[in-house]
Amino acid sequence: MTNKEIINKGQEYVMNTYGRFPIALVKGKGSYVWDADGKEYLDFLGGIAVCVLGHSDEGLQAVLREQAADLWHVSNLYWIKPQVEVAEKLVKISGLGKAFFCNSGAEANEAAIKLTRKYFYRKHEANKNEIIVFKESFHGRTLATVTATGQRKYQEGFAPLPEGFVYADYNDIGSVEKLITENTAAIMLEAVQGEGGVHPAHRDFLLELRRICNREGILLIFDEVQCGIGRTGTFFAYQSYGVNPDIVTLAKGLGGGFPIGAMLATDEAATGFAPGDHASTFGGNPLGTAVANILVETVSDPQFMENTKKLGEYLQESLNKIVDNRIIEVRGLGLMLGVEFNADIKELVQICMQKGLLLIGAGPRVMRFVPPLNINQKEINQAVAIFKEALQEWE
Ligand SMILES: Cc1ncc(COP(=O)(O)O)c(C=O)c1O
């Protein structure tokens, strides 16, 4: 089938929830993908920070094939060997205590919100059910997570929204202090805001949040769905800051493209859940966790992390060297970078695509760069060259 044939059928049968680009991607290898008409693209969005080992990684393919031959799915009513193994890895890397598995970022955050409420309920402090979240954040599309998301455009038309969320300004500790009450249960945020425009938190801000949580006896939740799994140059973004959470959520990169999410919590916070309190049929199933095991092993290797850091610095330097008076700022951590412009970048995204470079915005004026973490310098040079050419055409 050609691009056109796939698109025509899609328009007829697939629900209209995405503003899609007019191509259908049918094959990928490493940092490259091909559309149904055979055109090649350098993929600098990687399924939006998902394909951390690029496309069709040999190691991930092998483990998926092996696991598929042994066992695809069993209920969580039984112990699942690869789930137990990846839980051990994540717990050891994170310094937290227990892992819960699900299928997506929204589901991981939903679990974090439920765990927070149940934790205080079990402590006979059910009044503590309010979570401080942040403007311009993004936490998912379920009713609770879209409410936690501090962007009205995602909430419009879905009222009534669940109660229990209040919104502070990111990197503004005073705005957080003002919202603390006897009902506050947790503070939830991304260490680097992704969808909101690639905004890294200030270290002092995160340190202060930790101090407030300790002082108030409330939980600090990091949503690492986008900025976790090595993206910022450390396995968890909070490790770049030296600030430890009580709960952390993961998805996107955890399966390198295989759908899986997770929530990790300290042993203390994890006491909030008892058997029957929360569940997910597919969560942590053998296929997903077999893949996640290899992925976590690969990405957590200190040499791999070091390389990501270096590549991130190299990409940031290369972007910083671009001379264009429409660029306001290049910012980010590791291989989670954003270039902010003084204009809407919609058309620039299209020009890049036509020239064979896939990129996506983070908000209307920020171009986001979240390529595979095993990208190389040559591919970075190629992407930057195409980006520069596109800038010249962009009026
Ligand atoms: C920080 C963050 N949290 C949660 C989500 C939601 O993840 P999912 O789309 O897997 O539900 C996203 C998705 O972009 C995200 O960036």
Side-chain angles (χ1 to χ4, degrees):
M1 280 170 95
T2 62
N3 278 328
K4 195 156 190 308
E5 285 163 347
I6 295 170
I7 292 164
N8 285 345
K9 214 185 261 287
Q11 283 170 340
E12 190 170 355
Y13 294 111
V14 178
M15 205 170 285
N16 190 21
T17 57
Y18 295 95
R20 295 181 201 258
F21 296 105
I23 54 171
L25 300 171
V26 293
K27 194 174 164 50
K29 188 74 203 153
S31 304
Y32 294 88
V33 286
W34 288 266
D35 73 18
D37 296 345
K39 181 169 170 175
E40 181 180 282
Y41 303 86
L42 182 50
D43 186 5
F44 260 57
L45 78 103
I48 313 196
V50 167
C51 306
V52 293
L53 299 184
H55 297 276
S56 303
D57 177 77
E58 305 278 335
L60 295 186
Q61 277 190 63
V63 76
L64 191 55
R65 238 184 272 119
E66 256 167 53
Q67 187 59 50
D70 280 349
L71 184 70
W72 284 38
H73 180 81
V74 286
S75 165
N76 274 301
L77 293 172
Y78 307 96
W79 291 99
I80 296 170
K81 181 170 165 272
Q83 181 186 125
V84 172
E85 289 167 346
V86 74
E88 180 186 14
K89 289 188 181 97
L90 289 171
V91 160
K92 287 189 170 157
I93 299 167
S94 66
L96 296 171
K98 297 278 187 287
F100 170 83
F101 292 94
C102 51
N103 309 285
S104 69
E107 214 190 322
N109 287 332
E110 190 83 23
I113 294 163
K114 286 181 75 179
L115 177 63
T116 299
R117 289 188 180 177
K118 201 79 186 230
Y119 171 72
F120 285 107
Y121 171 86
R122 284 191 187 283
K123 285 182 28 150
H124 308 290
E125 293 179 90
N127 66 299
K128 282 196 179 298
N129 54 30
E130 200 167 84
I131 300 181
I132 298 177
V133 290
F134 291 86
K135 293 173 192 164
E136 306 309 323
S137 61
F138 188 87
H139 297 297
R141 303 287 197 143
T142 62
L143 275 175
T145 58
V146 88
T147 309
T149 293
Q151 301 190 56
R152 280 204 173 273
K153 65 179 179 192
Y154 294 115
Q155 300 168 348
E156 200 180 329
F158 295 119
L161 297 172
E163 293 173 12
F165 299 93
V166 289
Y167 307 88
D169 293 313
Y170 198 66
N171 279 329
D172 178 351
I173 206 71
S175 77
V176 177
E177 287 280 15
K178 269 191 220 147
L179 293 173
I180 300 272
T181 70
E182 63 190 15
N183 300 324
T184 308
I187 300 172
M188 175 170 171
L189 77 163
E190 300 153 84
V192 182
Q193 283 192 334
E195 303 302 309
V198 192
H199 289 283
H202 301 153
R203 182 157 185 270
D204 287 354
F205 176 65
L206 294 188
L207 284 168
E208 268 307 291
L209 290 184
R210 182 67 269 177
R211 200 184 57 76
I212 290 174
C213 288
N214 292 348
R215 183 189 77 202
E216 301 292 326
I218 60 175
L219 305 176
L220 182 60
I221 306 170
F222 281 142
D223 174 347
E224 296 234 354
V225 168
Q226 187 161 158
C227 62
I229 317 289
R231 180 62 46 199
T232 64
T234 46
F235 190 86
F236 293 99
Y238 64 78
Q239 293 167 327
S240 313
Y241 289 92
V243 177
N244 293 327
D246 300 288
I247 298 176
V248 63
T249 57
L250 294 169
K252 285 190 180 279
L254 182 56
F258 197 96
I260 178 169
M263 172 190 61
L264 313 174
T266 58
D267 280 313
E268 170 60 21
T271 59
F273 277 167
D277 279 345
H278 193 54
S280 169
T281 294
F282 293 121
N285 99 341
L287 286 177
T289 47
V291 172
N293 262 295
I294 303 302
L295 196 126
V296 170
E297 215 170 281
T298 307
V299 173
S300 64
D301 182 286
Q303 253 179 320
F304 187 94
M305 284 287 77
E306 199 44 46
N307 195 43
T308 301
K309 231 186 246 172
K310 279 197 189 128
L311 290 168
E313 282 162 13
Y314 182 71
L315 176 57
Q316 192 158 6
E317 274 167 28
S318 309
L319 293 170
N320 263 319
K321 280 187 196 148
I322 298 175
V323 180
D324 189 304
N325 58 14
R326 293 165 296 186
I327 294 178
I328 292 176
E329 190 185 22
V330 178
R331 58 173 178 257
L333 279 179
L335 281 170
M336 184 172 178
L337 299 174
V339 180
E340 183 169 354
F341 287 89
N342 65 5
D344 193 309
I345 56 161
K346 208 168 171 189
E347 203 192 312
L348 181 60
V349 172
Q350 306 265 9
I351 300 172
C352 289
M353 193 181 81
Q354 281 152 17
K355 291 184 169 298
L357 173 65
L358 299 185
L359 283 171
I360 189 70
R365 293 175 175 214
V366 179
M367 190 68 95
R368 177 169 22 177
F369 291 73
V370 281
L373 303 184
N374 59 358
I375 194 121
N376 59 43
Q377 278 206 6
K378 200 167 147 238
E379 289 160 344
I380 290 179
N381 292 342
Q382 188 191 351
V384 173
I386 298 175
F387 188 55
K388 278 192 201 157
E389 269 179 46
L391 282 171
Q392 276 166 11
E393 270 184 36
W394 183 43
E395 285 164 10

